[in-house]
């Protein structure tokens, strides 16, 4: 029996500030994919981590008056601490400055590119945005400013190592156009294709040790230079798999995985969809199979950013409203493209949707079963009427979720689950089990059979929902399964809490 392997990663964020809601979104999305595939019987490896070696971290430490390593450690802890409160299920977490797996991996990748003749030295002058950690073309600037960070780039002139990106233009176009390297959604794919068709220039993959303040990985055989932060950071996806020591995990999870998926934000698409595949081509390694790109979150219309201090602390939000509400909002409200605006009342609406829709469905099912069929549901006659439609919806839902998640469409996936919850709730109102029970008590045997059918269908619907909701709301799914197994109305009433909005 061959079991499919699925490797999924989040991006590794800079640790120049505290984690913000945008990164929580990415973690939750990747987590849903990982949990869903595990549930479907695939073997999954899910990686997250932090990018410790960025110059931005160095600058933030200097601004805080703290030693770099101490500052980076403290901030990285905050990112690692998202795991429990956000109910994340990653299998591994890599920190690029302290993890002993990382440096050998980045060095091996460098040497592999050098062996392909793709690294060369050159004097370079250009406009560097520290926020992007990248040189920008003059044509990319918006009135002289970086369009992403709204700051003036710095003019840098130094001797650097360059990567021969220009060599891979045709190959990258072919891979993306053919779909062998999927970029989702389409709008992002078109953006990448447009960028490549505009012509690829070689890019700098090192900086002087002085400019890096001695922080980062020295260039193999040239310690006067430090490996460019993006080359270093991208290597984490394979260094965490012991690529540096030619480990078995690299073969298992990178070379032999059926899918290698990176979840990222739109601001770093070029590094992942252009630079990274080119580096891998040069190194003779397989490429990711898909890059899934999310847009940004805003809070009351303002961009979230670690640098501006506008973070909307995900842990605080989860503590205040519960993780169900936060995860459900991320998955149900955030569109595939276009920024989503986070507002507390939207989160509260999603918390109430769970309580009124899903909580109510399970609660009334347990109560009806306890009241009218405490010994269990009897064998039913062939399905009829409303039950036929509900069973069809039950049967359809898992496939719909599979198809939506294969497209990275979380709204469609949760929407499909929710249609079933709505159908089941409507089924209770139309079949009116309490009236059937009354008729049964007055001797109507057909009503008794209808009652078995109705309660049986509801139980099947609730069990399916408790299983299918688990990748999205892991703890809530477990609570529902437990309440159903116990048949305890007390547990049924306490599945979700309604939101209280602070004004
Ligand atoms: Zn920038």
């Amino acid at each position: 029996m061959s079991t499919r392997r699925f490797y999924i990663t989040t991006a590794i964020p800079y640790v120049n500030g505290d984690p913000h809601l945008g990164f929580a979104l990415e973690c939750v999305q990747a987590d849903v994919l990982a949990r869903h595939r595990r549930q479907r019987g695939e073997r999954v490896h899910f990686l997250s981590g932090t990018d410790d070696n960025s110059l931005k971290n160095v600058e933030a430490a200097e601004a805080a008056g703290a030693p770099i390593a101490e500052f980076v450690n403290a901030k990285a802890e905050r990112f690692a601490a998202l795991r429990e409160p956000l109910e994340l299920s990653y299998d591994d977490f890599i920190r690029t400055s302290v993890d002993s797996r990382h440096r050998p991996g980045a060095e091996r990748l460098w040497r592999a590119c050098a062996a392909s003749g793709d690294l060369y030295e050159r004097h370079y002058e250009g406009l560097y945005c520290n926020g992007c950690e990248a040189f920008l073309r003059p044509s990319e600037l918006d009135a002289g400013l970086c369009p992403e960070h709204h700051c003036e780039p710095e003019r840098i002139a130094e001797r650097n190592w360059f990567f021969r990106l220009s060599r891979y233009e045709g190959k990258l176009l072919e891979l993306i156009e053919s779909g062998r390297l999927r970029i989702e959604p389409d709008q992002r794919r078109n953006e990448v294709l447009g960028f490549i068709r505009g012509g690829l220039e070689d890019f700098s993959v090192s900086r002087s040790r002085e400019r890096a303040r001695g922080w980062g990985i020295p260039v193999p055989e040239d310690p006067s230079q430090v490996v460019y932060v993006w080359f270093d950071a991208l290597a984490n996806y394979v260094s965490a798999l012991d690529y540096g020591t030619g480990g078995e995990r690299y073969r298992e999870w990178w070379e032999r995985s059926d899918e290698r998926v990176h979840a990222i934000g739109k601001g770093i698409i070029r590094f992942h969809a252009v630079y990274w595949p080119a580096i891998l081509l040069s190194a003779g390694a397989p490429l990711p199979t898909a890059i899934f790109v999310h847009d940004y979150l805003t809070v009351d219309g303002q961009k979230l950013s670690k640098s501006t201090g506008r973070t909307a602390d995900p842990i605080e939000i989860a503590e205040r409203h519960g993780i169900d509400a936060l995860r459900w909002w991320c998955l149900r409200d955030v569109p595939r493209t276009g920024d989503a605006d986070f507002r507390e009342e939207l989160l509260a609406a999603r918390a109430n949707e769970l309580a009124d829709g899903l909580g109510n469905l399970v609660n009334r099912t347990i109560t009806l079963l306890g009241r009218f069929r405490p010994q269990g549901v009897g064998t039913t006659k062939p399905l009829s009427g409303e039950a036929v439609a509900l069973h069809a919806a039950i049967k359809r839902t898992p496939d719909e979720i599979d198809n939506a998640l294969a497209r990275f469409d979380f709204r469609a996936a949760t929407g499909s689950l929710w249609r079933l919850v709505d159908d089941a709730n409507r089924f209770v109102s139309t079949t009116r089990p309490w009236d059937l029970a009354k008729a049964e008590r007055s001797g109507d045997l057909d009503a008794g059979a209808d009652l078995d059918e109705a309660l049986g269908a509801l139980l099947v619907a609730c069990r399916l929902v408790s299983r299918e909701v688990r990748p999205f709301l892991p703890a809530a799914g477990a609570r529902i399964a437990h309440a159903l197994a116990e048949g305890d109305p007390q547990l049924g009433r306490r599945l979700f809490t309604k939101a209280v909005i602070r004004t």
Side-chain angles (χ1 to χ4, degrees):
M1 191 187 85
S2 79
T3 307
R4 283 181 65 83
R5 286 195 189 85
F6 181 75
Y7 179 48
I8 173 123
T9 69
T10 66
I12 52 171
Y14 305 132
V15 291
N16 59 338
D18 290 325
H20 67 52
L21 194 59
F23 184 58
L25 168 73
E26 184 172 308
C27 289
V28 167
Q29 289 177 329
D31 186 65
V32 168
L33 297 173
R35 288 181 187 273
H36 175 253
R37 297 301 188 102
R38 285 190 203 107
Q39 190 183 60
R40 297 295 193 254
E42 294 187 27
R43 292 188 57 209
V44 171
H45 193 69
F46 175 17
L47 172 73
S48 189
T50 52
D51 176 5
D52 295 354
N53 293 335
S54 160
L55 190 55
K56 288 212 262 193
N57 298 338
V58 176
E59 286 170 345
E62 282 171 356
I68 302 171
E70 203 174 284
F71 179 87
V72 165
N73 286 340
K75 289 294 182 196
E77 295 268 305
R78 301 259 306 147
F79 282 82
L82 293 176
R83 187 187 165 97
E84 300 283 314
L86 298 188
E87 295 184 356
L88 304 177
S89 66
Y90 51 76
D91 301 290
D92 194 3
F93 190 89
I94 187 165
R95 287 194 46 207
T96 57
S97 68
V98 293
D99 199 305
S100 60
R101 295 171 294 177
H102 183 63
R103 183 167 164 177
E107 287 172 345
R108 184 172 172 206
L109 198 61
W110 180 282
R111 291 197 171 102
C113 294
S116 298
D118 286 330
L119 299 179
Y120 64 96
E121 277 186 282
R122 157 178 157 199
H123 179 83
Y124 188 71
E125 280 191 51
L127 297 168
Y128 196 84
C129 171
N130 280 328
C132 295
E133 297 264 22
F135 285 101
L136 301 178
R137 300 175 193 167
S139 62
E140 290 174 309
L141 301 181
D142 183 4
L145 305 180
C146 164
E148 180 86 14
H149 296 96
H150 310 289
C151 61
E152 203 177 320
E154 198 183 336
R155 179 159 288 281
I156 302 280
E158 64 180 24
R159 181 184 64 87
N160 280 174
W161 286 91
F162 270 71
F163 177 82
R164 240 179 266 282
L165 182 65
S166 51
R167 179 188 269 185
Y168 295 99
E169 203 174 293
K171 187 77 188 154
L172 287 173
L173 275 180
E174 180 198 317
L175 285 162
I176 297 170
E177 280 169 346
S178 70
R180 278 164 63 203
L181 171 54
R182 274 173 72 199
I183 299 166
E184 294 274 352
D186 273 354
Q187 188 183 331
R188 298 296 162 215
R189 174 177 175 270
N190 294 338
E191 186 184 316
V192 171
L193 287 172
F195 178 77
I196 299 173
R197 289 187 189 120
L200 294 182
E201 289 169 28
D202 296 352
F203 70 102
S204 159
V205 284
S206 76
R207 63 161 66 91
S208 71
R209 236 179 96 76
E210 300 82 75
R211 195 152 71 82
R213 325 273 216 282
W215 186 250
I217 299 175
V219 166
E221 282 77 60
D222 182 6
S224 72
Q225 296 272 308
V226 170
V227 174
Y228 171 53
V229 62
W230 271 106
F231 191 99
D232 169 331
L234 291 163
N236 95 87
Y237 301 129
V238 291
S239 72
L241 301 174
D242 304 327
Y243 171 74
T245 50
E248 176 53 32
R249 297 198 319 146
Y250 170 74
R251 280 190 292 284
E252 182 175 357
W253 291 109
W254 192 264
E255 291 188 338
R256 292 199 222 113
S257 260
D258 297 278
E259 289 170 74
R260 295 170 289 276
V261 177
H262 300 309
I264 61 163
K266 67 176 175 182
I268 56 176
I269 188 169
R270 184 189 312 171
F271 305 102
H272 282 80
V274 181
Y275 293 6
W276 176 231
I279 290 168
L280 289 167
L281 285 171
S282 172
L287 304 193
T289 55
I291 296 167
F292 162 63
V293 187
H294 62 81
D295 276 29
Y296 289 150
L297 297 182
T298 54
V299 169
D300 303 319
Q302 299 265 345
K303 192 193 157 185
L304 288 166
S305 158
K306 283 175 299 209
S307 352
T308 61
R310 216 190 159 79
T311 62
D313 181 358
I315 296 184
E316 200 235 340
I317 294 169
E319 275 169 2
R320 190 141 32 99
H321 297 284
I323 183 58
D324 297 332
L326 177 54
R327 282 181 72 114
W328 198 239
W329 179 80
C330 285
L331 300 162
R332 197 105 151 99
D333 275 31
V334 176
R336 264 157 86 67
T337 47
D339 295 344
D341 194 33
F342 174 85
R343 278 179 288 130
E344 204 154 303
E345 60 266 33
L346 297 175
L347 195 82
R350 289 306 177 191
N352 291 341
E353 172 183 78
L354 287 172
D356 296 336
L358 181 52
N360 187 37
L361 171 68
V362 176
N363 180 34
R364 70 212 288 207
T365 300
I366 291 173
T367 304
L368 290 168
L369 280 164
R371 191 177 302 160
F372 302 129
R373 285 293 184 269
Q375 309 304 326
V377 179
T379 36
T380 56
K381 57 195 173 73
L383 289 178
S384 60
E386 300 289 331
V388 175
L390 186 59
H391 275 284
I394 291 166
K395 200 158 177 297
R396 193 166 59 228
T397 302
D399 287 342
E400 285 179 357
I401 292 175
D402 288 354
N403 293 336
L405 291 183
R407 301 191 309 272
F408 308 101
D409 191 338
F410 300 95
R411 268 174 133 185
T414 49
S416 160
L417 187 67
W418 208 254
R419 263 194 308 282
L420 178 59
V421 170
D422 280 342
D423 285 351
N425 272 320
R426 241 190 328 271
F427 179 82
V428 179
S429 325
T430 44
T431 53
R432 304 176 64 85
W434 47 91
D435 285 347
L436 294 173
K438 205 184 209 173
E440 184 187 32
R441 276 197 300 274
S442 32
D444 181 344
L445 290 181
D446 284 347
D450 286 347
L451 182 60
D452 276 322
E453 179 184 77
L455 296 182
L458 276 175
L459 189 56
V460 173
C462 286
R463 282 185 184 143
L464 184 94
V465 169
S466 81
R467 190 171 73 237
E468 293 297 317
V469 80
R470 270 179 112 131
F472 307 100
L473 307 174
R479 283 199 304 277
I480 294 170
H482 179 63
L484 287 169
E486 296 290 317
D488 183 349
Q490 295 289 345
L491 295 174
R493 270 193 288 280
R494 289 199 304 263
L495 290 170
F496 296 99
T497 3
K498 293 199 59 155
V500 184
I501 307 179
R502 277 194 327 198
T503 44

